[in-house]
């Protein structure tokens, strides 16, 4: 028997205590720790509606923390890797997962998850390549959205009445139609009516049917004959008003590059078998092949901007988001995410209406498929974490999440459920936010999914989030120039691509200047 001195035992106990204290840096309060990027609105849905029911059904305690934004959660996980305090489950984008894979904290989900229930269009982005160039499953879809053309339905009703033209209810479909300068075109009729309303410094008054359709219009400061104020232009600054905007300028650039037939970024085949930390994603939109196409696209939208048809939120509207200007009647049409439709429905008199986004031509109907997925890390008790992951992404809890938030169901069992189908087919107009969710879901289901659109997601690599962040400035930088010559556009693109953040060793920039 080995004897140890008492003072040595005390010393060892102290060391053990310190060691255990260090290990407790990442100790969970519950059975499964779960980080999300959501702000107050969606965090409350999780904390007060979804997660309590999941906990009750599974008999598990879920420790949920919101990091406030998608950049916030990516930074939080990356920072937590240093002291091993990252969560069991985390919501994020594919480029987040690429970075986590590079830190070797992700668990491969192949064989652990039955993927047959998930929408196949949402699955490719959940695969990353291992060092042998083999695709591995690292996530499953959770909250999915796309972009739509939101518009002020009352304004369109007013245009129909003003011109006596019912066809004005059928919005233009292509960008050529939206860019038309023909005085008899739909867009020029919208523009003329909008300009008159903004300049009148008065109020558009009228009546509305149960579904929000406007009629019996009159421009007056005080509503008469049973009318009510539908849009107030008394405080609108003409210089800060534009007919159309695009909420997300990074999505705008990326989508339009695709619609014009060019490439944005790509992870080449030769890089797929390289270690994730060393892989180089290629930026392609300014190379010899794509630069002429991208230049043509930017010139097209520069002309739309100069013709006072199109803008970006910060250029003319003086806002971070188009929804701010929309609510104030300074913007009548905007491309926006279905994930944020509730921000556009606070003023029901605007009757927020929804249509598919415009496209270049029938062969290039591209629309971004966005939203996040859930990954599992090496901290997790796999048995418990898998149960939570499945419950959140399949069946009734995913259905309730979709109906409550406006995101699209990630799984077939949710999308095809009687509850979700009843939601899609409802004719209840009492809740404007629920109506917006329903109309957005209908566009996705009946137009994008079933009518030949390409719903795309770009390759993920370490640094792809930085590329996305930087391209958000391109449209605005072009619009601010005095001309849109090829040389001017080259200078704008060069300025963006020469920024220090894009000079990382995980990004290869192909450029023709």
């Amino acid at each position: 028997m080995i004897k140890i001195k008492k003072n040595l035992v005390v010393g060892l106990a102290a060391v053990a205590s310190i060691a255990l204290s260090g290990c407790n840096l990442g100790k969970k309060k519950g059975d499964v720790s779960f980080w999300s990027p959501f702000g107050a609105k969606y965090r409350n849905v999780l904390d007060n509606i979804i997660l309590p029911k999941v906990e009750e059904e599974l008999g598990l305690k879920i420790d949920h923390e919101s990091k406030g934004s998608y950049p916030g959660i990516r930074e939080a996980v990356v920072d937590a890797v240093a002291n091993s305090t990252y969560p069991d489950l985390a919501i994020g984008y594919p480029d987040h997962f690429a970075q986590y894979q590079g830190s070797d904290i992700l668990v491969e989900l192949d064989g652990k998850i039955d993927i047959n229930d998930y929408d196949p269009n949402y699955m490719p982005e959940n695969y990353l390549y291992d060092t042998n160039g083999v695709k591995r499953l690292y996530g499953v879809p959770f909250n999915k959205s796309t972009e739509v053309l939101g518009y002020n339905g009352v304004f369109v009703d007013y245009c129909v009445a003003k011109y006596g033209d019912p066809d004005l209810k059928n919005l233009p479909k292509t960008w050529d139609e939206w860019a038309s300068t023909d005085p008899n075109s739909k867009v020029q009729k919208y523009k003329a009516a909008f300009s008159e309303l903004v300049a009148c410094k008065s109020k558009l008054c009228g009546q509305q049917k149960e579904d929000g359709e406007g009629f019996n219009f009159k421009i007056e400061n005080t509503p008469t004959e049973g009318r009510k104020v539908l849009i107030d232009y008394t405080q609108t600054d003409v210089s800060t008003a534009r007919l159309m905007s695009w909420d997300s300028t990074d999505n705008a650039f990326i989508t339009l590059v695709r619609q014009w037939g060019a490439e944005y970024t790509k992870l080449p085949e030769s890089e797929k078998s390289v270690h994730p930390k060393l892989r180089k994603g290629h930026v392609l939109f300014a190379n010899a092949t794509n630069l002429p196409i991208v230049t043509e696209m930017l010139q097209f939208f520069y002309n739309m901007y100069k013709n006072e048809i199109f803008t970006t939120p910060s250029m003319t509207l003086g806002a971070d988001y188009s929804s701010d200007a929309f609510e104030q009647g300074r913007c009548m049409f905007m491309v926006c995410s279905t994930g944020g439709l509730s921000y556009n429905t606070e003023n029901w008199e605007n009757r927020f209406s929804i249509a598919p986004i415009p496209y270049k031509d029938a062969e290039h109907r591209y629309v971004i498929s966005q939203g996040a997925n859930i990954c599992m890390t090496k901290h997790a008790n796999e048995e418990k974490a898998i149960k939570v992951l499945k419950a959140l992404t399949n069946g009734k809890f995913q259905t309730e999440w979709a109906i409550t938030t406006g995101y699209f169901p990630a799984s077939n069992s949710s999308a095809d459920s009687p509850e979700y189908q009843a939601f899609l087919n409802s004719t209840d107009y009492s809740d404007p936010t629920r109506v917006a969710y329903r109309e957005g879901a209908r566009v996705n289901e009946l137009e994008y999914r079933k009518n030949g659109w390409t719903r795309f997601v770009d390759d993920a690599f370490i640094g792809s989030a930085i590329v996305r962040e930087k391209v958000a400035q391109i449209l605005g930088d072009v619009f601010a120039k005095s001309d849109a010559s090829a040389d001017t556009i080259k200078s704008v693109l060069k300025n963006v691509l020469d920024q220090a953040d894009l000079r990382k060793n995980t990004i290869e920039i192909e450029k023709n200047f």
Side-chain angles (χ1 to χ4, degrees):
M1 179 177 175
I2 299 175
K3 295 183 179 181
I4 302 177
K5 292 182 179 179
K6 182 177 180 181
N7 61 343
L8 182 58
V9 172
V10 173
L12 289 171
V15 171
S17 175
I18 293 172
L20 287 172
S21 175
C23 289
N24 284 340
L25 284 172
K27 188 173 181 180
K28 302 184 288 287
K29 299 175 185 177
D31 296 294
V32 177
S33 60
F34 172 43
W35 288 5
S36 80
F38 301 121
K41 184 181 298 184
Y42 296 143
R43 183 180 68 240
N44 289 337
V45 174
L46 276 174
D47 288 341
N48 299 321
I49 299 176
I50 305 297
L51 293 181
K53 296 178 181 179
V54 174
E55 289 179 322
E56 182 179 2
E57 178 161 301
L58 299 182
L60 296 172
K61 174 62 178 174
I62 302 169
D63 178 22
H64 172 232
E65 290 185 41
S66 171
K67 300 303 176 181
S69 67
Y70 286 102
I73 193 171
R74 178 177 63 86
E75 292 168 8
V77 172
V78 170
D79 290 345
V81 170
N83 56 17
S84 196
T85 57
Y86 51 87
D88 301 333
L89 299 175
I91 291 178
Y93 285 124
D95 46 22
H96 299 184
F97 294 177
Q99 193 162 3
Y100 307 161
Q101 183 196 30
S103 298
D104 194 31
I105 67 170
L106 294 187
V107 174
E108 294 176 9
L109 298 176
D110 298 277
K112 298 179 174 71
I113 294 286
D114 179 4
I115 65 171
N116 292 320
D117 186 34
Y118 296 102
D119 185 327
N121 290 281
Y122 298 145
M123 291 307 295
E125 65 193 82
N126 283 287
Y127 288 88
L128 296 170
Y129 292 90
D130 65 15
T131 53
N132 296 314
V134 177
K135 280 185 176 182
R136 301 293 185 188
L137 182 67
Y138 287 101
V140 292
F142 176 63
N143 55 295
K144 293 299 174 182
S145 61
T146 188
E147 290 190 310
V148 292
L149 180 61
Y151 63 99
N152 190 314
V154 162
F155 168 75
V156 172
D157 294 337
Y158 170 73
C159 291
V160 168
K162 175 181 174 63
Y163 293 102
D165 183 0
D167 191 44
L168 289 171
K169 271 189 172 291
N170 301 313
L171 303 190
K173 294 183 178 180
T174 68
W175 286 116
D176 281 339
E177 291 176 287
W178 277 104
S180 176
T181 56
D182 180 348
N184 294 316
S185 66
K186 290 181 180 180
V187 70
Q188 287 301 320
K189 289 180 179 179
Y190 298 148
K191 181 184 171 185
F194 181 53
S195 298
E196 290 175 7
L197 288 171
V198 170
C200 76
K201 295 293 182 181
S202 188
K203 300 172 183 176
L204 178 63
C205 301
Q207 295 174 275
Q208 284 181 288
K209 298 177 182 178
E210 182 182 351
D211 65 358
E213 182 179 0
F215 64 101
N216 192 19
F217 296 104
K218 189 173 183 179
I219 297 174
E220 53 189 350
N221 281 319
T222 303
T224 59
E225 301 176 19
R227 299 183 184 89
K228 63 180 178 180
V229 176
L230 299 176
I231 312 176
D232 187 346
Y233 290 101
T234 57
Q235 305 298 318
T236 303
D237 180 355
V238 176
S239 67
T240 64
R242 281 294 186 277
L243 187 66
M244 174 186 277
S245 181
W246 198 312
D247 226 8
S248 171
T249 51
D250 49 1
N251 283 354
F253 179 79
I254 295 166
T255 302
L256 294 172
V257 165
R258 291 292 196 110
Q259 287 197 359
W260 254 250
E263 292 181 284
Y264 167 60
T265 59
K266 189 174 184 179
L267 187 64
E269 288 295 325
S270 59
E271 296 290 329
K272 292 175 181 177
S273 58
V274 177
H275 189 280
K277 282 189 174 180
L278 302 177
R279 284 180 192 147
K280 287 190 176 183
H282 285 225
V283 176
L284 302 178
F285 60 81
N287 67 16
T289 301
N290 294 308
L291 182 59
I293 303 171
V294 173
T295 297
E296 177 192 322
M297 179 272 289
L298 291 171
Q299 290 171 333
F300 182 94
F301 281 88
Y302 178 86
N303 290 330
M304 283 189 73
Y305 172 75
K306 288 298 182 182
N307 290 330
E308 300 186 348
I309 295 171
F310 182 88
T311 192
T312 57
S314 60
M315 277 303 298
T316 308
L317 301 177
D320 292 330
Y321 300 99
S322 303
S323 54
D324 299 333
F326 178 87
E327 184 180 359
Q328 299 160 8
R330 296 187 292 111
C331 176
M332 293 292 106
F333 302 88
M334 63 172 173
V335 177
C336 58
S337 171
T338 55
L341 291 177
S342 61
Y343 295 107
N344 304 301
T345 57
E346 293 181 3
N347 185 353
W348 179 226
E349 280 69 38
N350 279 344
R351 191 162 70 88
F352 189 73
S353 302
I354 295 171
I357 69 169
Y359 52 83
K360 176 69 167 65
D361 53 53
E363 288 70 42
H364 293 91
R365 289 181 293 176
Y366 281 85
V367 63
I368 203 162
S369 175
Q370 55 194 6
N373 310 294
I374 301 182
C375 66
M376 184 169 69
T377 75
K378 293 181 177 179
H379 268 182
N381 175 307
E382 287 193 13
E383 182 181 358
K384 294 178 180 180
I386 287 288
K387 287 181 179 179
V388 174
L389 189 152
K390 289 179 177 178
L392 289 173
T393 58
N394 296 101
K396 60 184 178 182
F397 298 122
Q398 175 69 193
T399 302
E400 188 167 13
W401 167 258
I403 292 173
T404 308
T405 63
Y407 284 110
F408 306 139
S411 59
N412 297 324
S413 58
S414 302
D416 297 335
S417 67
E419 294 82 3
Y420 194 73
Q421 290 301 309
F423 162 73
L424 283 181
N425 296 317
S426 172
T427 56
D428 181 3
Y429 291 93
S430 60
D431 183 340
T433 298
R434 183 63 65 92
V435 172
Y437 290 166
R438 185 177 72 217
E439 297 305 314
R442 283 177 175 172
V443 167
N444 182 63
E445 187 71 20
L446 302 178
E447 180 66 21
Y448 296 158
R449 293 188 67 184
K450 297 181 178 179
N451 203 19
W453 285 68
T454 300
R455 295 180 293 156
F456 71 91
V457 177
D458 291 292
D459 289 338
F461 51 87
I462 297 174
S464 55
I466 296 170
V467 182
R468 169 180 282 275
E469 176 187 324
K470 297 303 178 183
V471 302
Q473 72 185 77
I474 291 175
L475 280 168
D477 287 355
V478 170
F479 294 169
K481 299 297 183 181
S482 59
D483 68 77
S485 66
D487 287 342
T488 297
I489 288 174
K490 280 184 182 180
S491 71
V492 169
L493 297 179
K494 184 177 186 301
N495 178 63
V496 170
L497 294 176
D498 283 348
Q499 293 182 36
D501 285 346
L502 287 178
R503 289 301 180 186
K504 296 182 178 294
N505 59 12
T506 55
I507 301 171
E508 180 73 27
I509 299 174
E510 299 182 15
K511 58 183 182 178
N512 191 36
F513 44 77

